[in-house]
Amino acid sequence: MTVDVDVIAIDGPTASGKGTVASLLAQQLGFHYLDSGALYRLCAYACLKHGVDLADEKDCGATASSLAPVFKEGRIFLEGEDVTEAIRQEAVGIAASKVAMLPAVRAALLGVQRAARKAPGLVADGRDMASVVFPDAKLKVFLTASASSRAQRRYKQLIDKGISANLRDLTRDLAQRDERDRKRAEAPCIPAPDAHMLDSSGLTVDETVATVLAWWKRLGA
Ligand code: CDP
């Protein structure tokens, strides 16, 4: 692990805006960006495609270990298939939160995530970036937003991508995913003790990014 490279860890629940905020931060700082959720989504997608039982730790773990995604020009390929949009489907997100409960899957994805730590720096978004993957991250942020604003945001995100969605079902699925993510035994989605808490319910994306940037600058970075 390249521990002398700075990491900003952005964790938080489903649809809290982590992805948008983390990628903008990375852009503004000229840092690399790790979307760790995409790895869990890729694993879930591969399990669904090959009929692997999402509760079978051994088979899901083996799927995660043999995952060989190719990231090219903003697109993601798996086994030669462009899965960029497919892995963003809600069904894949729900499946991802199931395989993410399995310690063998989490262990298999640890090395890939740590390998993303490259100069000049990394902004990493997920659930356990600050607690497990990069416990020495220089800045740790736990991004939240009210359940209703998260459901609204996810609804808009899916509709904008041309994916059909229903707000009532989304709100219910979000609550179930929150519950699974928060209560799992391994790497639950809870703030690290030294994380800065940020509720973005009443903030725009730009205001949220500016808040994190101000914390980063205050660290003298
Ligand atoms: O987009 P959304 O925030 O809903 O999810 P995501 O970040 O793409 O992650 C999909 C699922 O993977 C989450 O519901 C988590 O259960 C799991 N995940 C995780 O357990 N640990 C991470 N570091 C990232 C994602």
Side-chain angles (χ1 to χ4, degrees), residues 27-103:
Q27 242 175 50
Q28 295 195 15
L29 293 167
F31 281 12
H32 298 279
Y33 167 52
L34 170 67
D35 170 7
S36 65
L39 298 173
Y40 288 92
R41 285 173 179 267
L42 284 164
C43 176
Y45 184 85
C47 288
L48 292 171
K49 183 173 170 186
H50 297 295
V52 173
D53 176 358
L54 300 179
D56 186 320
E57 178 161 13
K58 196 164 147 278
D59 287 356
C60 291
T63 306
S65 306
S66 61
L67 217 56
V70 175
F71 298 85
K72 206 170 136 196
E73 293 161 8
R75 313 287 308 169
I76 310 177
F77 299 84
L78 197 63
E79 299 167 14
E81 180 191 351
D82 185 340
V83 295
T84 317
E85 277 87 29
I87 62 163
R88 298 295 157 195
Q89 300 277 348
E90 271 310 280
V92 178
I94 292 167
S97 81
K98 292 183 180 162
V99 297
M101 292 168 71
L102 307 171

Side-chain angles (χ1 to χ4, degrees), residues 14 18 36 41 97 100 106 127-128 154 177 181 184:
T14 292
K18 305 176 306 284
S36 65
R41 285 173 179 267
S97 81
R106 304 202 72 85
R127 305 290 189 288
D128 58 344
R154 178 52 48 94
R177 278 170 71 178
D181 282 356
R184 67 179 174 223

Side-chain angles (χ1 to χ4, degrees), residues 75-157:
R75 313 287 308 169
I76 310 177
F77 299 84
L78 197 63
E79 299 167 14
E81 180 191 351
D82 185 340
V83 295
T84 317
E85 277 87 29
I87 62 163
R88 298 295 157 195
Q89 300 277 348
E90 271 310 280
V92 178
I94 292 167
S97 81
K98 292 183 180 162
V99 297
M101 292 168 71
L102 307 171
V105 168
R106 304 202 72 85
L109 297 180
L110 199 55
V112 195
Q113 297 174 80
R114 289 194 172 146
R117 189 174 194 166
K118 289 190 185 128
L122 176 72
V123 183
D125 108 55
R127 305 290 189 288
D128 58 344
M129 297 299 97
S131 54
V132 177
V133 184
F134 304 110
D136 62 337
K138 195 161 174 181
L139 177 62
K140 300 178 177 182
V141 177
F142 195 83
L143 193 62
T144 56
S146 66
S148 67
S149 49
R150 290 192 284 124
Q152 299 272 6
R153 281 178 194 172
R154 178 52 48 94
Y155 179 76
K156 188 173 177 309
Q157 231 175 36

Side-chain angles (χ1 to χ4, degrees), residues 171-193:
T171 308
R172 185 204 54 214
D173 292 346
L174 255 135
Q176 287 173 355
R177 278 170 71 178
D178 280 356
E179 171 104 354
R180 266 198 298 276
D181 282 356
R182 232 185 0 246
K183 294 208 171 142
R184 67 179 174 223
E186 188 143 341
C189 181
I190 50 172

